[in-house]
Amino acid sequence: MFTGIIEDVGIIESLTPNGEDIRLSIKIQKLDMSDVKLGDSIANNGVCLTVVALSNHGFSADVSHETIKRTGFAAYEAGSKVNLEKAMQANSRFGGHIVSGHVDGVGEVLSISQVGRYVEIWVQAPDALAKYLAEKGSITVDGVSLTVNQVDGAKFLLTLIPHSLQETIIGSYQVGTKVNLEVDVIARYLERLMLGDNAAHSSANSPKKDISMAFLAENGYLK
């Protein structure tokens, strides 16, 4: 479990093929690794990876075929930078929002505008994620906990403060940059919960129901 507060920007030293998987070696810059051991989790651009090897200057992790398929890792190469966050501790400050490290889709940067000291970025999300985007709601972009400030269909607007631009890879974004997206986990569970008893049936055998006022009333969410 993570919070979306980035602790360091790492550099990919190598990506070594291992069958259909990849062994990823990351060089850290300032991340405190004194409490990290084999088997611990570290988020890399929002992707939860397991530490399988430690070195004097970083760590290695295996990236599965499934992860490569669902994230931006397919486009990464040696020299690429990644946002790093160690798994949160129960006694640490919760500065962002609940982040699982399970990417829901890959978005694309549509525009970048300087507005005073801030930067506004429009991102195109996959159409399937549009229903999870809410104005003033939370979203994780490359592992960074951010607030959605405006929504237009499957597009959403982010406003970045100078600190976020300096301490993460977001400051290097360009139009066309692909980004890992994770929607609010509460929205995902709420959607499943609202299916009620229908959740027990295979989607292949059950008619798809749209969420409507009638559906909410039928399943006891309205009185």
Side-chain angles (χ1 to χ4, degrees):
M1 190 67 67
F2 307 91
T3 69
I5 304 301
I6 302 306
E7 299 176 274
D8 192 13
V9 173
I11 301 172
I12 297 178
E13 289 192 302
S14 64
L15 300 97
T16 306
N18 182 19
E20 293 187 338
D21 300 341
I22 290 177
R23 173 65 61 91
L24 184 73
S25 293
I26 300 290
K27 179 181 180 180
I28 63 170
Q29 299 190 81
K30 63 179 182 179
L31 188 67
D32 179 9
M33 299 287 287
S34 62
D35 59 347
V36 175
K37 61 183 183 300
L38 297 183
D40 283 354
S41 297
I42 297 180
N44 296 251
N45 272 5
V47 181
C48 177
L49 297 178
T50 300
V51 175
V52 298
L54 292 165
S55 68
N56 293 331
H57 57 275
F59 66 95
S60 296
D62 289 332
V63 185
S64 70
H65 175 69
E66 173 72 9
T67 299
I68 296 170
K69 182 176 66 175
R70 290 182 174 271
T71 70
F73 268 97
Y76 296 170
E77 58 187 10
S80 296
K81 295 183 177 181
V82 290
N83 293 321
L84 300 176
E85 181 190 356
K86 294 186 295 185
M88 68 174 293
Q89 296 179 326
N91 62 348
S92 61
R93 183 176 287 111
F94 205 116
H97 72 281
I98 299 174
V99 177
S100 67
H102 302 154
V103 171
D104 294 298
V106 177
E108 180 178 348
V109 174
L110 296 178
S111 66
I112 302 174
S113 304
Q114 187 79 40
V115 181
R117 297 178 58 244
Y118 305 92
V119 169
E120 291 187 340
I121 300 178
W122 277 97
V123 177
Q124 177 71 56
D127 288 348
L129 300 186
K131 58 187 174 182
Y132 302 112
L133 303 174
E135 188 169 325
K136 300 307 177 184
S138 297
I139 193 164
T140 307
V141 179
D142 277 342
V144 185
S145 173
L146 295 170
T147 300
V148 175
N149 283 323
Q150 192 173 333
V151 177
D152 180 9
K155 299 182 292 186
F156 61 93
L157 177 67
L158 303 170
T159 302
L160 282 303
I161 62 174
H163 178 80
S164 296
L165 297 171
Q166 294 166 5
E167 297 297 322
T168 72
I169 66 169
I170 296 179
S172 65
Y173 283 178
Q174 299 177 350
V175 172
T177 295
K178 304 293 189 196
V179 294
N180 292 326
L181 302 177
E182 180 186 332
V183 300
D184 190 342
V185 66
I186 295 176
R188 287 206 306 255
Y189 281 113
L190 180 60
E191 178 188 35
R192 183 71 175 171
L193 180 66
M194 291 174 70
L195 291 175
D197 292 339
N198 291 320
H201 303 290
S202 170
S203 58
N205 301 321
S206 301
K208 191 172 183 180
K209 287 192 175 183
D210 292 328
I211 302 300
S212 63
M213 296 301 288
F215 176 87
L216 293 175
E218 178 186 343
N219 288 276
Y221 293 98
L222 296 179
K223 301 296 184 182

